[in-house]
Amino acid sequence: MDTSPPRISPRAEPAPPPSGRPDRPQGPPLGQEPRDNQPDTGGTPPPTDRPAPPPTESRGRVRIGDRVFSGAARGSGIVLLAVMAAIAGFLTLRAVDALGKNEGNFLTTFEWTPNAEPPVFGVAVIAFGTVVSALIAMIIAVPIAVGVALFVSHYAPRRIAQPVAYLIDLLAAVPSIVYGLWGALFLVPHMIGLTTWLDAYLGWTHVFDQTSTGVTPRNLFTAGVLLAVMILPIVTNVSREVFLQVPRMHEEAALALGATRWEVIRTAVLPFGRSGVISASMLGLGRALGETMAVATVLSSSPVLSLKILDPGGGTIAQNIAANFGEAQPIGRDALVASGLVLFLITLLVNGAARLIIARRKEYSGANA
Amino acid sequence: MSTTTKPTVTPPASVLTQRRLPRWAPAATALGAVVAGIGIGAGAGLTSEIQWGLIAALLFVGALHVLSTRVEGSRKAKDRLATSLVWVCFILAVIPLVSLLEYTIRKGAKVLDGYFLTHSMNGVATIEPGGGVYHSLLGTLEQVALATLISAPIGLLTAIYLVEYGRGPLAKAVTFFVDVMTGIPSIVAGLFVLSFWIIWLDFSFSGFAGSMALSILMMPVVVRSTEEMLKLVPNELREASLALGVPKWRTILKVVLPTAVGGIVTGLMLAVARITGETAPVLLLVYGAATINTNPFDGAQDSLPLYIFQQWKNGNEPSYDRAWAAALVLIALVMALNLLARGVARWKAPKPGH
């Protein structure tokens, strides 16, 4: 086996060692000898059972670095899993604690008075408010986001498209507290006109009915509008990615058949992008469900469960946590953790559904916002 | 309004051409719609500019559709309807976003100066002007740096594991849970650290507690972006290196990572930008303070997002001014990180090998 020719050639061509030698611990003196025996096994370590002791030793040396490194890589993956498990575990632990002391029904009670004696609290109002405000945000944001995504991918003149995409990227990074501040001090006063108008002309729908007109619109509707503004950049970005991946041939085929631009979009772009848009909206929904600060600044909360979205009141889970955390006693904190667990479960469901849809169309790699 | 219905000249139309609206018709209709919107809004005494805009948008879409149906036929009209709807969507989306930036800059510039950046709120009554964000800026930077120190190595190594080593059920589980983690609401991450670190282990509120929650939010983002970047590294490079006898870990360190470094750094910076603006976990864990606390491991700190929230809660003019100025500082910080990240991305763009 140990023929001399192969032994000479690697020495004559020392290409691999120099690149790595500098920072290899005690590399040069020991590295040279093993390398003489190395070439016949190649770079990969298939365990060829050669009875020669020196080669196995050298392979062992190489493998230590490899083992440490792959161990570290796998270890951090496991750390990540452990963190996830810990999150679920601790939240459940505290929540169970709190629920044991709860004198009301956690799912149907309206009040949130865990610090009172006896403690009574329930997630009915805030879970409802969470879902409703997020749904309002979706209804407003998704059509507009799809429009903007189409604008960037298909309609805008090329000179505008790039800066617009860039601008929307940047806006996705604006912190939520800034949206909250803007919503509370700018949007709320500007919503008065729209709410009175909706109340006057669409009041008969019950949803848009305002019990007492002229109140400051610190309501679920305004919160929904603000959330819509916040999730718009995310939904737009993901949808745009998908629309840009539509096979050129599909579009050109449609054009060749005489389709107008809208017909191209309707027959080629939208069908291709549908699942992408759905998952984008669900990612946006997940974001809207968990949003804290924007809702906390805009909404004036109260334990009222009502479908009249223009009436001030209601609340969301995240907003409730932010608002009640300051004066919460131990039971109160545990109660907030319990509501957080509910929020966690809701977002898990929504995100899980989104991921399932994405997984079915694997090619949308852009959908990992 | 615009009575530009008739196309200028239609010569004995050949069979292959249709009557078309002139090129300037959409622009003219838009102008007319805006004028009419303002007119109706002001005339009917509607106070909200939002409504004026909505009226103008509706008029524009309707008028152009009617015009186009009469002149160009229904297919073309549908096309125009879609086009104008898309433009309206675009404008509807851009207005609040631009308004947000403009309003923040206008309001924030009022108080923002050197004094604001170098002083804390120590001894400043909430109803009087003065004070600054030094303590919060310091807190934010420390907390974000700590969070990055925790999550960057774990995130990078996890991504390396997934791309270079990952096979079998463990890799599948990690991929799945990274996805799940991406969707964790920030306040839930805060609650977890609260119940683990502060309630269970009985530590006090500190900047470090905040960084832990922030790193939970940051890790999945880092993993995702790094993973995407590592996947872009062509396999030929790995194979060439391995064929020369370089062990796998050195191949990864010396060949794969340097090739993807631009994208990885970009992803990291975007993740940092994202957690810089997080308020909810900080509210639960760092607690807020008016004085300068340089030690993130001991005692309550402050942070920029939290500062904005507190100033907003005070509910008086000087506090609002401070809140806007702090918001401007925060946006500037985040935008700078973003721009820098994009700069790095452009500078070291990976060349996909195919």
Side-chain angles (χ1 to χ4, degrees):
Chain A
M1 187 60 246
D2 286 319
T3 43
S4 44
R7 194 182 274 188
I8 292 165
S9 63
R11 211 180 262 162
E13 187 240 76
S19 70
R21 209 174 264 173
D23 57 347
R24 189 188 203 170
Q26 5 106 307
L30 292 164
Q32 228 150 25
E33 223 215 332
R35 227 151 258 289
D36 291 349
N37 306 318
Q38 193 70 331
D40 49 357
T41 62
T44 47
T48 41
D49 292 307
R50 302 265 159 63
T56 41
E57 197 185 50
S58 84
R59 248 185 274 134
R61 298 198 58 73
V62 174
R63 278 235 193 118
I64 286 176
D66 245 345
R67 200 175 299 152
V68 167
F69 194 72
S70 74
R74 179 175 301 132
S76 45
I78 293 172
V79 165
L80 228 125
L81 290 185
V83 168
M84 243 353 256
I87 292 178
F90 272 98
L91 290 185
T92 317
L93 202 73
R94 308 303 322 172
V96 168
D97 236 28
L99 293 187
K101 295 176 188 137
N102 189 5
E103 297 287 318
N105 186 323
F106 184 61
L107 292 180
T108 55
T109 309
F110 284 14
E111 290 81 25
W112 190 269
T113 51
N115 297 318
E117 203 50 56
V120 174
F121 55 90
V123 287
V125 171
I126 53 178
F128 172 80
T130 306
V131 173
V132 167
S133 61
L135 279 183
I136 296 172
M138 295 290 296
I139 291 169
I140 300 172
V142 169
I144 295 183
V146 171
V148 178
L150 282 176
F151 179 82
V152 174
S153 68
H154 286 81
Y155 279 93
R158 194 157 296 171
R159 267 174 301 123
I160 305 183
Q162 203 52 43
V164 166
Y166 200 69
L167 177 76
I168 290 173
D169 267 353
L170 283 187
L171 285 163
V174 171
S176 63
I177 182 70
V178 179
Y179 278 109
L181 191 66
W182 177 79
L185 299 181
F186 179 87
L187 186 65
V188 165
H190 283 78
M191 289 292 288
I192 295 175
L194 187 62
T195 29
T196 11
W197 186 83
L198 280 175
D199 175 42
Y201 293 97
L202 293 171
W204 51 270
T205 53
H206 182 77
V207 174
F208 289 120
D209 187 29
Q210 207 173 15
T211 315
S212 57
T213 47
V215 276
T216 322
R218 297 186 158 281
N219 49 33
L220 282 178
F221 181 66
T222 309
V225 171
L226 183 59
L227 287 176
V229 175
M230 292 184 62
I231 63 172
L232 192 76
I234 304 152
V235 182
T236 304
N237 279 349
V238 180
S239 312
R240 186 198 64 204
E241 290 290 320
V242 179
F243 290 152
L244 285 175
Q245 287 173 20
V246 175
R248 210 115 208 123
M249 291 308 234
H250 291 194
E251 292 174 35
E252 282 169 5
L255 282 173
L257 290 171
T260 60
R261 184 149 54 170
W262 163 242
E263 283 160 351
V264 170
I265 286 172
R266 193 168 51 87
T267 55
V269 178
L270 288 183
F272 181 87
R274 194 190 301 129
S275 64
V277 170
I278 292 174
S279 61
S281 342
M282 294 184 94
L283 289 177
L285 183 64
R287 185 76 49 107
L289 286 170
E291 179 46 48
T292 314
M293 293 341 265
V295 184
T297 51
V298 162
L299 196 66
S300 82
S301 59
S302 65
V304 180
L305 197 153
S306 157
L307 260 182
K308 298 182 176 177
I309 56 174
L310 294 184
D311 278 345
T316 73
I317 294 177
Q319 170 268 332
N320 186 52
I321 295 172
N324 289 326
F325 174 75
E327 47 265 22
Q329 287 147 19
I331 306 179
R333 281 189 193 165
D334 287 354
L336 292 177
V337 172
S339 71
L341 187 64
V342 174
L343 177 63
F344 186 47
L345 292 179
I346 296 177
T347 46
L348 268 194
L349 282 181
V350 170
N351 281 312
R355 300 290 166 190
L356 270 184
I357 297 171
I358 294 173
R360 228 185 291 161
R361 301 291 295 264
K362 228 356 195 241
E363 63 264 41
Y364 305 141
S365 61
N368 48 29
Chain B
M1 320 141 289
S2 52
T3 48
T4 54
T5 348
K6 289 289 168 236
T8 41
V9 220
T10 12
S14 88
V15 200
L16 288 175
T17 55
Q18 273 187 322
R19 296 204 300 163
R20 306 194 58 180
L21 284 172
R23 288 182 63 92
W24 43 266
T29 322
L31 195 68
V34 169
V35 170
I38 292 174
I40 293 175
L46 298 173
T47 44
S48 156
E49 286 87 352
I50 297 177
Q51 273 169 294
W52 296 17
L54 287 178
I55 291 172
L58 280 179
L59 278 177
F60 168 67
V61 173
L64 198 61
H65 183 59
V66 169
L67 271 180
S68 180
T69 316
R70 309 240 351 228
V71 179
E72 299 172 318
S74 71
R75 270 184 69 208
K76 191 76 184 146
K78 253 189 214 156
D79 185 43
R80 282 215 190 265
L81 180 68
T83 309
S84 41
L85 274 179
V86 164
W87 272 89
V88 165
C89 280
F90 165 65
I91 290 166
L92 274 184
V94 162
I95 284 175
L97 299 177
V98 169
S99 143
L100 170 86
L101 286 184
E102 187 262 348
Y103 202 67
T104 311
I105 291 172
R106 187 154 51 82
K107 288 271 187 179
K110 217 161 58 173
V111 191
L112 185 59
D113 52 20
Y115 182 87
F116 188 73
L117 287 176
T118 51
H119 286 75
S120 76
M121 285 299 289
N122 196 5
V124 182
T126 54
I127 50 162
E128 62 187 37
V133 287
Y134 179 73
H135 59 308
S136 346
L137 195 57
L138 192 76
T140 293
L141 293 180
E142 285 181 352
Q143 289 148 25
V144 168
L146 273 177
T148 312
L149 276 184
I150 300 173
S151 51
I154 297 183
L156 282 180
L157 282 171
T158 307
I160 290 173
Y161 172 68
L162 288 179
V163 175
E164 306 288 336
Y165 295 98
R167 239 161 263 107
L170 180 63
K172 274 210 184 100
V174 172
T175 311
F176 176 75
F177 280 107
V178 166
D179 278 348
V180 170
M181 247 176 132
T182 320
I184 291 184
S186 58
I187 193 134
V188 171
L191 281 176
F192 159 64
V193 176
L194 177 80
S195 52
F196 166 72
W197 185 254
I198 290 178
I199 299 182
W200 196 57
L201 291 178
D202 208 20
F203 284 96
S204 67
F205 297 103
S206 67
F208 180 62
S211 334
M212 280 194 288
L214 292 180
S215 63
I216 291 177
L217 298 172
M218 188 175 172
M219 266 186 253
V221 184
V222 176
V223 176
R224 273 276 155 274
S225 61
T226 310
E227 209 187 335
E228 295 294 323
M229 286 305 135
L230 292 181
K231 277 182 189 159
L232 283 182
V233 176
N235 255 337
E236 287 84 346
L237 288 185
R238 293 189 183 91
E239 284 159 7
S241 167
L242 291 174
L244 289 170
V246 180
K248 187 164 183 176
W249 65 284
R250 293 180 61 81
T251 303
I252 294 170
L253 282 184
K254 294 278 167 184
V255 176
V256 178
L257 285 183
T259 313
V261 72
I264 293 174
V265 171
T266 305
L268 258 180
M269 293 175 88
L270 289 178
V272 169
R274 189 190 147 188
I275 62 163
T276 306
E278 282 296 349
T279 320
V282 178
L283 173 74
L284 299 187
L285 299 168
V286 180
Y287 214 72
T291 52
I292 300 170
N293 174 9
T294 49
N295 184 359
F297 295 98
D298 184 33
Q301 267 194 319
D302 211 33
S303 93
L304 267 181
L306 188 54
Y307 178 89
I308 300 172
F309 184 58
Q310 287 159 342
Q311 295 302 322
W312 172 79
K313 249 177 151 179
N314 289 340
N316 53 55
E317 274 312 310
S319 295
Y320 284 159
D321 286 345
R322 278 193 290 265
W324 284 115
L328 190 54
V329 174
L330 184 58
I331 288 191
L333 197 64
V334 172
M335 292 284 168
L337 275 170
N338 261 283
L339 289 177
L340 214 61
R342 268 151 231 277
V344 171
R346 187 163 299 180
W347 175 44
K348 291 211 143 197
K351 319 279 185 295
H354 43 77

